[in-house]
Structures are given as structure tokens and as C-alpha cells.
């Protein structure tokens, strides 16, 4: 009955006596009825009926900010590691970036998870139809069917059942409108890239029924935003990120950091060429997608300054304003040359 949920949420937000109240929308099973952007309603979460008790609890704790706070602290010790008990969950990862694939696979397998990785949205939907998973990590910008549409298709498959497969978005965009788009597509949560091992573990503990409660472990560092392109000349590779990758190394396995660096150096030249082609063709969509991919893989390898310039270029493509794009591509090439030299001399050197 009138007013509907989003309208009521706006009315609450407009009332000075009520505006501070958190609002969680209870939506029908037919998610297509709620495709509106709720950015201005003040809604902090959406629950789709039928509602599971655990999802209701999570929505309430998140809305009331009752989740355990994360604080920066000293490096983790060996005794801290023993408190992370194995997590025998079955995880599907939909991610097309080879560097990101390798990082997230290593992290998840280190937790004891069974991992399957697919590289596009259509394969993600097929995998969900074929196998049972405890959780899906879904990149938003997959080739072909993107992560949003893949999630909508998964939700449509669930309409005739009581099941609900948690889907966590993997996104490099943490703006409010991006979060709303994830929720409206039927995703349950989102994880901003690049993420740390502890952030990934907390997401697993939040959304998997097989999760074993763990004692709070303080992060090595706060999750840092990318620097602006003006700071690009200040640094090349962030040693904290490299140390984080080294910490994922498993005994008896090939050198993970060298493997990721090799993938990065092999694949990136094609992306640089694609950026030149996009600028020459005035193709904003291609520029956005290519810059987004380069930004993500650069950040995961600690090339934060290069990622910052790629982020500026990505935003120009997203806003369809290519003024100055050619200069940014030149800056990216120069930054990549510096990163390549550092990787080759400090990471890939023999001996």
C-alpha cells in the first residue's frame, strides 16, 4: 500500500526527528520490481523475501554499525596465524583479470577453501547451475554478460526455490552509486579492490554458513585509497602490497610474487596498445574498460601510482570526456616502464 518502501524511506530521511534512523528495504522476490537507484532514499541495505534469519541479522548489525571495528596494528605473528582455522567452503570466483585471479585463488586456498574460477558472466551462471557453492565473488565488469546481469540471472534461477546463494561484488569503485547498483542487481555485499587477506577472510566469515568464528586479527595496514595522479612520481611499487603477496606464499609452491609479476608484464603491453587505439578512435567505452583493467591489476601488484593515473583515465572514459586522455596514456606508458624496470631488477632477477 501507499507509500511504497522507497518513498517511505525518503519521508523518514526528510524528517529531522527521524533522519538518523537506518533504513533497510524489504523487497519482494521479484527483484526486477526494484531496479530504482536508491542513492537518495537513505536505504543502507536491501533484503529480498523470503528472508533468511542469518541475512536479517547481518543486515541489522551492519545498519546499526554493530560489526567489529577494524583497527590498524602491528604485523601479524605466527601465533596469530594459528587462530585462523581452516574454512572448508566451496567458492566460485568470477574474475577475468589473470593477476587478480592468482591473488584471490591463493588467498582462498590458504584459508582451506575449494575454489573454482571463471572468466566471464555466462560461465558464472553456468557454474551456479552446475554446482553447489557457499559463496560467489563476482567481478562487476566481466566481459560479455557483466557481473550485474550475471547476478540477476542467478537470482531469477532462485525464484522457484527457498535457496539464496550469497554474491559479493568485487569492484574497484567504492562510490555510493556503485554500492546501490550492486544491491539493486541482487548482490549481497561488496569488496573493494585491491583488498587484503584479512578483508577477504572477514567477508567469508560474514557470508558462509561453514565459517568458523575467529579471534579478531588486526590488519597490517589500513586499506589505503589510491594516490592521485599528481603523486604518481613519488613512488613505483608499494612494499606493503608486495609483502602482502609474499605472505601468501605456500611451502613447496612456485614463487607467487614472481608468477604474478610475470603475468602482469606479459599482459600489460596489450592494454597499453588498446589505450592508444581507444584514444585514436575516440572510443570512451573501450577507454573506460581498458583503463579499469590496468588500474586493477596494477594496484594488486603495488603499482599504486600507476594505478592512480589509470584511474584518472578510467573516469574520463566513464564520463565520456576524453580531453587530456592522450597525455594520460603517455604518463601511463612512462609509469609502466618504471614499474617494469623495478620488477625486473628487484623481483624477477635471478640468483
Amino acid at each position: 500500500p501507499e507509500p511504497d518502501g522507497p518513498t517511505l524511506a525518503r519521508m523518514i530521511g526528510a524528517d529531522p526527528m527521524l533522519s538518523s534512523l537506518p533504513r533497510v528495504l524489504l523487497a519482494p522476490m521479484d527483484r526486477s520490481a526494484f531496479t530504482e537507484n536508491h542513492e537518495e532514499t537513505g536505504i543502507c541495505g536491501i533484503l529480498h523475501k523470503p528472508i533468511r534469519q542469518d541475512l536479517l541479522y547481518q543486515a541489522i548489525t551492519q545498519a546499526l554499525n554493530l560489526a567489529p571495528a577494524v583497527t590498524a596494528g602491528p604485523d601479524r605473528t605466527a601465533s596469530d596465524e594459528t587462530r585462523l582455522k581452516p574454512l572448508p567452503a566451496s567458492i566460485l570466483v568470477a574474475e577475468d583479470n589473470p593477476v587478480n585471479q592468482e591473488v584471490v585463488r591463493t588467498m582462498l586456498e590458504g584459508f582451506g577453501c575449494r575454489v573454482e574460477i571463471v572468466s566471464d558472466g555466462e560461465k558464472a551462471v553456468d557454474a551456479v547451475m552446475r554446482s553447489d557453492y557457499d559463496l560467489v565473488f563476482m567481478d562487476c565488469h566481466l566481459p560479455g554478460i557483466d557481473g550485474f546481469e550475471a547476478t540477476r540471472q542467478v537470482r531469477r534461477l532462485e525464484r522457484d526455490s527457498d535457496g539464496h546463494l550469497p554474491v559479493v561484488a568485487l569492484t574497484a569503485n567504492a562510490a555510493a552509486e556503485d554500492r546501490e547498483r550492486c544491491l539493486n542487481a541482487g548482490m549481497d555485499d561488496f569488496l573493494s579492490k585491491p583488498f587484503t587477506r584479512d578483508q577477504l577472510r572477514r567477508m567469508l566469515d560474514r557470508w558462509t554458513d561453514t565459517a568458523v568464528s575467529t579471534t579478531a586479527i588486526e590488519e597490517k595496514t589500513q586499506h589505503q585509497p589510491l594516490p592521485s595522479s599528481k603523486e604518481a612520481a613519488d613512488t613505483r611499487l608499494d612494499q606493503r602490497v608486495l609483502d602482502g603477496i609474499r605472505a601468501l606464499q605456500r611451502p613447496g609452491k612456485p614463487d607467487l610474487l614472481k608468477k604474478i609479476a610475470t603475468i602482469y608484464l606479459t599482459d600489460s603491453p596489450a592494454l597499453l596498445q588498446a589505450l592508444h587505439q581507444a584514444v585514436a578512435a575516440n572510443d570512451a567505452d573501450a577507454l573506460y574498460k581498458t583503463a579499469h583493467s590496468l588500474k586493477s591489476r596494477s594496484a594488486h601488484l603495488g603499482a599504486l601510482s600507476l594505478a592512480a593515473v589509470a584511474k584518472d583515465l578510467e573516469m574520463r572514459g566513464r564520463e565520456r570526456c576524453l580531453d587530456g586522455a592522450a597525455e594520460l596514456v603517455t604518463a601511463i606508458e612512462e609509469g609502466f616502464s618504471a614499474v617494469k624496470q623495478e620488477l625486473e631488477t628487484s623481483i624477477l632477477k635471478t640468483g
Side-chain angles (χ1 to χ4, degrees):
E2 295 293 334
D4 61 15
T7 301
L8 178 59
R10 290 191 187 91
M11 293 170 62
I12 293 173
D15 189 324
M17 299 291 291
L18 303 174
S19 60
S20 62
L21 287 175
R23 282 144 274 168
V24 177
L25 179 67
L26 303 182
M29 183 181 295
D30 183 5
R31 293 164 184 258
S32 63
F34 284 85
T35 57
E36 173 188 359
N37 188 330
H38 300 300
E39 179 182 356
E40 299 179 356
T41 65
I43 291 173
C44 57
I46 301 176
L47 285 174
H48 293 271
K49 305 173 185 178
I51 300 170
R52 281 172 36 189
Q53 183 178 9
D54 59 334
L55 297 181
L56 177 61
Y57 174 78
Q58 289 159 0
I60 293 173
T61 56
Q62 290 175 33
L64 298 179
N65 293 319
L66 296 178
V70 178
T71 57
D75 288 353
R76 187 186 306 133
T77 65
S79 60
D80 291 324
E81 290 288 346
T82 62
R83 289 184 259 174
L84 275 179
K85 298 181 180 179
L87 182 64
S90 180
I91 308 297
L92 175 66
V93 178
E95 167 66 70
D96 66 311
N97 187 314
V99 170
N100 297 352
Q101 288 176 354
E102 196 63 35
V103 171
V104 72
R105 180 196 294 277
T106 303
M107 288 182 176
L108 290 171
E109 289 181 346
F111 294 138
C113 298
R114 299 180 301 277
V115 184
E116 180 174 356
I117 294 182
V118 295
S119 57
D120 62 56
E122 184 175 358
K123 292 177 181 177
V125 177
D126 290 343
V128 169
M129 295 175 63
R130 170 173 38 85
S131 304
D132 292 327
Y133 300 99
D134 296 301
L135 178 65
V136 177
F137 286 106
M138 183 80 74
D139 181 43
C140 294
H141 301 286
L142 294 168
I145 298 176
D146 65 18
F148 301 110
E149 178 57 29
T151 303
R152 293 188 192 99
Q153 292 190 21
V154 169
R155 297 310 180 210
R156 285 195 286 269
L157 293 172
E158 294 176 339
R159 287 179 181 174
D160 296 328
S161 68
D162 294 330
H164 179 87
L165 175 62
V167 177
V168 174
L170 298 179
T171 175
N173 301 315
E177 61 268 22
D178 295 301
R179 179 179 175 84
E180 292 299 330
R181 189 179 180 192
C182 292
L183 294 174
N184 290 335
M187 296 172 174
D188 298 283
D189 212 331
F190 77 103
L191 187 60
S192 296
K193 298 187 287 188
F195 46 82
T196 67
R197 185 174 184 269
D198 291 329
Q199 289 168 335
L200 181 62
R201 178 62 190 232
R202 282 195 298 274
M203 197 62 67
L204 289 168
D205 287 343
R206 180 181 300 171
W207 290 108
T208 60
D209 294 332
T210 55
V212 179
S213 297
T214 61
T215 54
I217 295 180
E218 296 179 332
E219 289 194 32
K220 293 180 178 179
T221 61
Q222 290 277 17
H223 182 61
Q224 299 291 334
L226 294 178
S228 68
S229 59
K230 293 181 179 180
E231 301 171 303
D234 295 341
T235 58
R236 292 180 183 173
L237 295 177
D238 191 309
Q239 291 302 313
R240 295 170 300 176
V241 177
L242 297 180
D243 289 342
I245 296 175
R246 291 186 180 100
L248 299 174
Q249 182 64 47
R250 302 172 68 186
K253 297 292 184 178
D255 190 303
L256 178 63
L257 183 54
K258 286 187 177 182
K259 182 176 183 180
I260 292 175
T262 300
I263 293 173
Y264 177 79
L265 293 180
T266 301
D267 293 350
S268 295
L271 293 178
L272 297 176
Q273 181 63 31
L275 289 177
H276 278 291
Q277 293 172 350
V279 171
N282 202 34
D283 189 337
D285 290 335
L287 186 71
Y288 167 72
K289 293 177 182 179
T290 306
H292 174 86
S293 180
L294 182 63
K295 177 193 70 175
S296 179
R297 65 185 64 201
S298 297
H300 265 299
L301 194 55
L304 301 186
S305 299
L306 176 57
V309 186
K311 180 180 180 181
D312 280 356
L313 191 60
E314 175 193 22
M315 295 307 297
R316 290 172 190 264
R318 186 176 188 177
E319 296 168 0
R320 314 190 75 79
C321 178
L322 272 58
D323 293 341
E327 289 79 2
L328 285 177
V329 172
T330 299
I332 286 174
E333 283 189 314
E334 294 173 352
F336 176 74
S337 295
V339 168
K340 179 181 178 182
Q341 180 179 1
E342 187 164 346
L343 287 173
E344 290 176 340
T345 56
S346 65
I347 306 298
L348 299 178
K349 62 182 179 181
T350 58

